[in-house]
Amino acid sequence: ANLVTIKNIDVTGQRFARGVEVTTQKGVVNVWNAQLVAPLNHAIHRGDVLLGHFWLRCVKSMTDEGYVGFVVEQATPEFDKAIEFEISAAQDWREIFVPFRAERDFPAGSAHVCFRVGYDSQTIELGGVELLDYGNAAKLAELPHTKISYEGREENARWRKEALARIEKIRKGDWTISVVDANGKAVPNVTVHATLK
């Protein structure tokens, strides 16, 4: 069965004019069973600092989030990775930055950039894809990076207050511990240590 359809799309209102739309049907088993792959004709040297940069949006999914895996790897077995990064986006275009340092050499033509798109029942769009190699002229910590997060992660998110109220009401209760000897007589001044499992 054909579980994935891919088509080129025109994009408006962004820094890029063309993109790709990927629709994955129900039944894809592994994320790597559907991939978009572009060969790298440029050599990557051990210690090079690189930046993966692309835009992602979700057109449709069961959760209103669309997922991709961004991978730079050797193009043949054992598929040694330079980077492997999973990210999601909602319906608005999300700019993604993935900085990394190559831990080995990848001679020209031996590696590829890969977007793993084998996520069940979703339609996503990708655009503005680039891989920048700064050699040793950039510091990894100074490059932009996309944080993996979720809506409501902030400390004052509304759901946290509601969850704490449910914990107080449903998951907590008063209890009493009595420490007695073999004859059932109370043992005074005992230190008790309890751990909830």
Side-chain angles (χ1 to χ4, degrees):
N2 187 9
L3 297 175
V4 178
T5 56
I6 301 167
K7 68 178 183 178
N8 292 321
I9 58 169
D10 294 321
V11 177
T12 58
Q14 296 299 321
R15 295 182 209 164
F16 50 93
R18 302 282 293 154
V20 63
E21 183 180 271
V22 181
T23 300
T24 309
Q25 306 299 323
K26 187 166 181 57
V28 174
V29 178
N30 297 307
V31 296
W32 56 84
N33 287 151
Q35 303 184 118
L36 305 175
V37 177
L40 292 177
N41 297 323
H42 169 82
I44 297 174
H45 304 287
R46 183 176 186 216
D48 281 1
V49 172
L50 298 103
L51 180 66
H53 179 220
F54 58 95
W55 294 76
L56 171 67
R57 71 182 290 263
C58 176
V59 176
K60 184 176 80 172
S61 79
M62 294 180 291
T63 62
D64 295 327
E65 288 278 316
Y67 292 84
V68 299
F70 172 76
V71 181
V72 175
E73 66 183 0
Q74 182 180 337
T76 56
E78 295 296 316
F79 301 104
D80 291 338
K81 310 286 187 272
I83 185 68
E84 188 171 12
F85 184 79
E86 182 181 271
I87 193 73
S88 68
Q91 69 180 14
D92 294 328
W93 283 105
R94 182 179 186 190
E95 187 174 20
I96 311 295
F97 295 98
V98 186
F100 62 99
R101 183 184 310 279
E103 299 299 325
R104 56 158 283 186
D105 290 329
F106 293 92
S110 71
H112 58 221
V113 174
C114 172
F115 284 95
R116 292 179 174 164
V117 294
Y119 295 83
D120 207 19
S121 302
Q122 69 174 16
T123 299
I124 58 156
E125 294 177 350
L126 285 163
V129 177
E130 59 184 350
L131 179 63
L132 307 171
D133 188 340
Y134 294 98
N136 56 12
K139 292 189 169 112
L140 194 60
E142 293 175 356
L143 293 178
H145 67 281
T146 299
K147 294 181 181 176
I148 298 175
S149 191
Y150 56 87
E151 187 176 337
R153 185 171 189 163
E154 57 277 0
E155 287 295 320
N156 61 350
R158 193 180 90 195
W159 71 266
R160 293 183 189 278
K161 185 176 180 181
E162 295 167 0
L164 289 172
R166 283 192 307 273
I167 289 169
E168 288 296 326
K169 182 178 178 182
I170 299 168
R171 299 191 61 194
K172 287 186 175 182
D174 296 327
W175 49 293
T176 304
I177 296 176
S178 299
V179 181
V180 295
D181 62 19
N183 298 321
K185 184 177 178 185
V187 179
N189 301 321
V190 172
T191 300
V192 175
H193 175 79
T195 303
L196 179 64
K197 291 189 177 181

